[in-house]
Amino acid sequence: KVTFSTTTDADGATAGIQGGAIVASGTGATVGTPVVGTASVSARAGSLGVDTGVVTIDDSAAHSVKTVTIDSYATGSTVGGTTATTNLETLNLLNATGAATLVVADTAATLALNVENIGSSETDEDSGVVTSTVAAVTLTAAPTTLNVTTTGDNYFDLVAAATKTLNVAGTGLLDISGLALAAVETVKVSGTAGLTLNGGESATLKSVDTTAT
């Protein structure tokens, strides 16, 4: 079925295809009753029910996903929200859009989290005022050991209530000072990476090792 749609035609300024312009002749041809079309409607950008940049990733029933890479994502993104990624070993996050949020339902007991260009911080040259855009990553059920590699400077709130061991390596600053890691006991920083914590970790923190920096 094909439906034609026009704004108007010459016969009475009526939307649609008008019957007066169609003439049947000869044999073997049948002209159906013309159907009045619908007046045209202008499209609206971003009105297709799709949230731009939002990423949703779920595992299979076999829980076979071990590595996830997300390059460019926006607030509301999720990993394992419907079928949890309980065997997820590596999560690569790059180029979050502004203060993007990501919730990961579950991971393996040890997770390698590699981050690049997540959040930002700028200092005004004249006033010295620092303006930060802070993203958010929530690791809901795991891991107990979190190995973070930071490429460049990254700024995000990290919720990782199950994490007891935090290892940070890389080439830039990891600023997760917005929220305290509620259960962390051991922190190790290596390479040329820097780490800024909340300070609330002092209630559980037992050791900090920066000898490899």
Side-chain angles (χ1 to χ4, degrees):
K1 178 181 178 181
V2 178
T3 301
F4 295 90
S5 178
T6 64
T7 301
T8 61
D9 71 4
D11 296 327
T14 302
I17 303 299
Q18 304 303 310
I22 301 175
V23 178
S25 62
T27 60
T30 301
V31 177
T33 303
V35 177
V36 176
T38 303
S40 63
V41 178
S42 299
R44 291 187 301 162
S47 298
L48 294 176
V50 177
D51 293 326
T52 302
V54 174
V55 174
T56 300
I57 297 173
D58 282 303
D59 209 338
S60 65
H63 300 288
S64 56
V65 173
K66 292 188 175 182
T67 300
V68 168
T69 298
I70 306 176
D71 188 345
S72 301
Y73 64 94
T75 290
S77 296
T78 61
V79 175
T82 300
T83 305
T85 49
T86 54
N87 291 317
L88 182 64
E89 297 174 350
T90 303
L91 176 60
N92 304 310
L93 301 179
L94 304 90
N95 305 313
T97 302
T101 63
L102 172 71
V103 176
V104 182
D106 205 353
T107 72
T110 298
L111 176 69
L113 174 61
N114 303 311
V115 293
E116 181 177 355
N117 196 27
I118 308 299
S120 63
S121 182
E122 297 181 0
T123 302
D124 186 272
E125 293 182 357
D126 297 323
S127 65
V129 174
V130 178
T131 302
S132 297
T133 300
V134 180
V137 176
T138 300
L139 305 176
T140 303
T144 53
T145 298
L146 179 60
N147 300 320
V148 182
T149 300
T150 176
T151 300
D153 297 340
N154 293 277
Y155 304 83
F156 57 94
D157 291 339
L158 176 62
V159 177
T163 297
K164 293 184 177 181
T165 300
L166 173 66
N167 299 311
V168 179
T171 58
L173 172 66
L174 177 66
D175 187 334
I176 51 173
S177 60
L179 298 172
L181 296 175
V184 69
E185 297 177 354
T186 302
V187 172
K188 182 176 181 179
V189 182
S190 61
T192 58
L195 173 64
T196 303
L197 293 173
N198 174 270
E201 293 87 356
S202 59
T204 58
L205 194 58
K206 296 178 180 178
S207 69
V208 177
D209 182 357
T210 60
T211 57
T213 57

